[in-house]
Amino acid sequence: MSGPAAGTADAAASTDVVCLGESMVTFLPSQPGRLADVPSFGRGIGGAESNVACALAAAGHRAAWVGRVGADGFGDHLVETIASYGVDTSAVRRDPVRPTGIYFRTATDRGTDTHEVAYYRAGSAASAMSPDNVPYEDLLAGRVLHLSGITAALSADCLALLRDLTAARPGRPLVSFDVNHRPHLWRGGDASVLLELARRSDLVFVGEDEAEEAWGIVGAEAIRAALPEPAVVVVKRGSAGATVFASGLRPGPRSSIAGGAENAPASRSTEGGGARSSGAGGAENASGGAAFAADTVTLVPALRVDVVAAVGAGDAFAAGFLSATLRGLPVRDRVRHGHLMAAAVLTVPGDLTDPPARDHADRLAALDDDAWGRLRLGPGWTAADRAPEEVRTP
């Protein structure tokens, strides 16, 4: 196994976030309609983890993407495009035999019955990732390691890799895990393994809908009950917003990243409009030795957005939340930055776009609850110094 040398994870991290996963070349339709009727496609890139890395780098963070691509033109395009966002791609490996994955999709919302995606990823270079062929010294070099449930579905070797990376080990970076349940990838498989991986992580992103579909768990409180170990669980609730369960930690090397100073030991305070507290103590986190105090529960409403294409929003939300977490912002503002980053992607056709300038996003995230509730964002809002809706708020 190409595991980490002793002391590697204890070295001063030069990278904020390392993201591991498959990225593919995506072909976007030139017009709405069935795949059978679309006359031409434009080329882009898509991949949950590389999307997060690109968004973080564009927001000014030091981000790296670790993956495996084919020794082909599509692999060249992926690495060059991801690097153009400022992402470190030096640890990406090339497979001399297996190809880079590609996929085609329609312009409709992924959640609708008319949405179509045609994947050509079986036997891809990324599906060959394993504990024996990925550079652990690079994976464990950041403050945060961001993973996704998509990787676990690609192959048995990929699942073994995620199990190894989420295993308790001294000096492990904070592990961020986006469940990212994709039903088509789990046909004939057991998606309950995603619950296992989430429980071994420090920060978890999960949608209410995917928790119900993958695990049969309904509601934010039940999701937290099923995930007692992570310091922070972010339950995405679609148009209703997001609920964050953040546990206080006894002092430890990573508690300030995961929970923030506002989540002091035994804290039972509330944050944000409609926030409330509940107890979920007693568990230990994945690195061992840190017992959680009671949860601080924060509910943050979603923004009103004029949606152009409902793809990539989950990845952007995770990037916005991680960005604000790295900056040590309060939980409410972490969620608001997630919503704002998602709104940037929702108002463009593809999976990636330039995020709002930091000072612009900070001003919006700092709005009072009433002004936040009135905010409506549409195409082009990130390019404006101040969104028109912001000007009209008190």
Side-chain angles (χ1 to χ4, degrees):
M1 176 182 294
S2 58
T8 297
D10 295 326
S14 60
T15 302
D16 291 324
V17 182
V18 178
C19 302
L20 167 79
E22 180 175 36
S23 190
M24 296 181 288
V25 172
T26 177
F27 290 91
L28 308 172
S30 59
Q31 64 185 44
R34 303 182 309 154
L35 285 179
D37 300 326
V38 175
S40 60
F41 297 81
R43 185 181 64 176
I45 66 169
E49 302 84 2
S50 61
N51 286 348
V52 171
C54 289
L56 284 168
H61 297 283
R62 298 165 298 178
W65 172 62
V66 178
R68 192 173 181 88
V69 300
D72 49 36
F74 287 145
D76 293 342
H77 176 65
L78 275 176
V79 174
E80 292 168 5
T81 303
I82 293 169
S84 73
Y85 282 84
V87 175
D88 181 355
T89 58
S90 61
V92 175
R93 298 294 187 258
R94 295 297 189 113
D95 192 306
V97 177
R98 298 174 182 85
T100 302
I102 65 172
Y103 71 98
F104 297 76
R105 68 170 175 81
T106 55
T108 51
D109 187 339
R110 179 183 285 143
T112 67
D113 293 337
T114 58
H115 184 69
E116 296 177 74
V117 182
Y119 288 102
Y120 299 90
R121 73 196 311 176
S124 70
S127 69
M129 290 189 296
S130 78
D132 298 317
N133 63 18
V134 297
Y136 272 62
E137 65 276 11
D138 295 298
L139 283 172
L140 303 179
R143 297 171 64 192
V144 177
L145 173 62
H146 181 71
L147 308 171
S148 161
I150 293 173
T151 305
L154 297 181
S155 68
D157 282 342
C158 284
L159 175 56
L161 174 60
L162 260 61
R163 279 182 164 143
D164 193 52
L165 290 173
T166 56
R169 55 162 53 91
R172 188 188 82 174
L174 182 142
V175 173
S176 166
F177 182 72
D178 192 335
V179 171
N180 255 330
H181 176 241
R182 298 288 184 266
H184 66 275
L185 291 178
W186 290 99
R187 292 184 186 127
D190 182 8
S192 66
V193 71
L194 298 176
L195 184 62
E196 170 200 334
L197 295 171
R199 294 186 65 177
R200 292 154 65 105
S201 303
D202 303 297
L203 165 60
V204 175
F205 299 95
V206 59
E208 275 190 324
D209 54 346
E210 59 187 350
E212 181 175 3
E213 187 169 19
W215 309 326
I217 299 173
V218 180
E221 296 280 355
I223 291 170
R224 179 49 160 168
L227 295 170
E229 295 87 355
V232 178
V233 175
V234 182
V235 180
K236 297 177 290 183
R237 304 172 60 216
S239 60
T243 300
V244 180
F245 299 87
S247 293
L249 284 169
R250 293 173 187 163
R254 297 176 305 156
S255 60
S256 61
I257 302 177
E262 68 276 17
N263 297 314
S267 170
R268 294 190 65 84
S269 64
T270 61
E271 279 193 57
R276 56 193 177 82
S277 297
S278 63
E284 291 193 353
N285 72 347
S287 61
F292 292 121
D295 273 344
T296 295
V297 184
T298 307
L299 293 78
V300 181
L303 288 166
R304 293 181 296 166
V305 179
D306 297 328
V307 176
V308 172
V311 292
D315 306 329
F317 179 92
F321 190 95
L322 286 170
S323 173
T325 297
L326 289 164
R327 296 171 60 199
L329 299 184
V331 171
R332 186 207 69 171
D333 290 358
R334 299 180 195 188
V335 181
R336 285 189 171 187
H337 276 276
H339 286 321
L340 289 165
M341 197 82 86
V345 170
L346 287 169
T347 50
V348 297
D351 290 22
L352 292 168
T353 189
D354 291 331
R358 180 172 289 185
D359 61 345
H360 186 185
D362 283 344
R363 288 198 305 269
L364 294 178
L367 292 172
D368 63 36
D369 290 343
D370 288 340
W372 177 263
R374 294 195 301 271
L375 195 61
R376 187 183 188 102
L377 301 174
W381 75 270
T382 59
D385 178 62
R386 294 174 70 86
E389 292 80 359
E390 182 187 359
V391 175
R392 290 199 298 268
T393 58

